[in-house]
Amino acid sequence: DGGITQSPKYLFRKEGQNVTLSCEQNLNHDAMYWYRQDPGQGLRLIYYSQIVNDFQKGDIAEGYSVSREKKESFPLTVTSAQKNPTAFYLCASTEDSFRWNEQFFGPGTRLTVL
Amino acid sequence: AQKITQTQPGMFVQEKEAVTLDCTYDTSDQSYGLFWYKQPSSGEMIFLIYQGSYDEQNATEGRYSLNFQKARKSANLVISASQLGDSAMYFCAMREGYSSNTGKLIFGQGTTLQVKP
């Protein structure tokens, strides 16, 4: 079955630690996205990648970093510079950013800072 | 700046009745797309329906339909014959126009729908 997987489902981080959230897709999609969701709120874009080896900052990129070395993978690192990282993180992909198709989402990772 | 507004934080509907979830948007682009997603308590985002700004007909997908009023900049979601499984959070989202082919979506704050038996 084609889809997007995210791991881990739950992640606990101590203050000052960097953590990496995994996002893998087997849909052969070119474009991938990372969103952050705070309780009772909508989604906000952190980073996006329209093609492998290229990525751009979204609206709230500070304290985060990404890489896109493979088409199917778009990991997100939450660095110690992110002041309030506790949130739900969703990864999404779409066939390519020039088509007006829907984005498919992964199941999400819930990050809690202890 | 582009913006999506969902003014109903929470809604209740009786099982088997229809319900309308409101969404208004603001954009200066002539070309844009509007999406509705459902988010159950498990957290995944499920695509429901899409409406393009140049589509002449209102979009429909099974029990979901989109009441698109371009002049009023509204794109309300109508769910007919509500089911208990429809209880979830619903998000309206807009895709930026042709001026920026990034595929980025801008989301509203969401509406929590509870279906009563």
Side-chain angles (χ1 to χ4, degrees):
Chain A
D1 286 336
I4 301 176
T5 56
Q6 291 186 243
S7 61
K9 187 172 182 179
Y10 298 96
L11 185 57
F12 298 90
R13 189 196 95 169
K14 293 181 181 178
E15 285 195 23
Q17 282 183 337
N18 291 355
V19 291
T20 297
L21 282 58
S22 168
C23 176
E24 303 275 333
Q25 54 99 357
N26 60 4
L27 300 166
N28 200 34
H29 286 174
D30 283 327
M32 298 186 73
Y33 306 82
W34 273 107
Y35 293 92
R36 170 182 170 140
Q37 185 180 24
D38 291 287
Q41 302 296 313
L43 281 63
R44 293 182 292 167
L45 183 66
I46 305 172
Y47 266 98
Y48 64 98
S49 169
Q50 293 174 270
I51 199 164
V52 68
N53 291 322
D54 184 62
F55 52 83
Q56 304 295 330
K57 292 182 179 180
D59 300 318
I60 55 165
E62 186 176 350
Y64 300 97
S65 66
V66 294
S67 63
R68 186 87 187 276
E69 296 174 1
K70 297 187 294 183
K71 185 175 184 178
E72 58 270 23
S73 179
F74 191 40
L76 173 74
T77 297
V78 184
T79 75
S80 56
Q82 171 48 236
K83 299 289 184 233
N84 184 19
T86 294
F88 188 53
Y89 291 86
L90 286 155
C91 178
S93 73
T94 192
E95 189 172 353
D96 74 60
S97 60
F98 292 87
R99 295 176 188 264
W100 290 60
N101 297 336
E102 70 272 25
Q103 291 184 11
F104 293 84
F105 283 80
T109 292
R110 200 165 297 276
L111 173 63
T112 303
V113 173
L114 302 174
Chain B
Q2 292 164 322
K3 187 179 178 182
I4 293 281
T5 302
Q6 295 179 254
T7 57
Q8 307 153 311
M11 293 276 288
F12 288 94
V13 65
Q14 205 68 36
E15 194 178 7
K16 298 180 185 176
E17 291 185 351
V19 63
T20 298
L21 306 183
D22 294 342
C23 172
T24 58
Y25 59 91
D26 188 20
T27 180
S28 55
D29 282 324
Q30 295 300 309
S31 296
Y32 51 88
L34 296 155
F35 300 79
W36 276 92
Y37 283 85
K38 171 183 178 181
Q39 186 179 42
S41 57
S42 55
E44 78 233 62
M45 297 284 282
I46 302 166
F47 166 72
L48 297 177
I49 197 166
Y50 166 79
Q51 179 85 43
S53 60
Y54 288 117
D55 293 341
E56 294 183 354
Q57 304 258 357
N58 284 344
T60 60
E61 287 287 347
R63 294 186 299 110
Y64 304 108
S65 61
L66 205 151
N67 184 1
F68 182 48
Q69 297 189 40
K70 196 170 180 178
R72 293 186 177 184
K73 293 190 174 180
S74 75
N76 299 337
L77 177 70
V78 180
I79 305 174
S80 63
S82 297
Q83 301 172 355
L84 296 178
D86 293 335
S87 294
M89 197 152 185
Y90 289 81
F91 289 96
C92 180
M94 179 167 61
R95 184 210 150 107
E96 292 185 336
Y98 285 122
S99 58
S100 171
N101 279 315
T102 63
K104 292 163 55 176
L105 292 180
I106 300 159
F107 285 83
Q109 299 287 80
T111 295
T112 300
L113 176 67
Q114 292 192 32
V115 180
K116 294 181 178 179

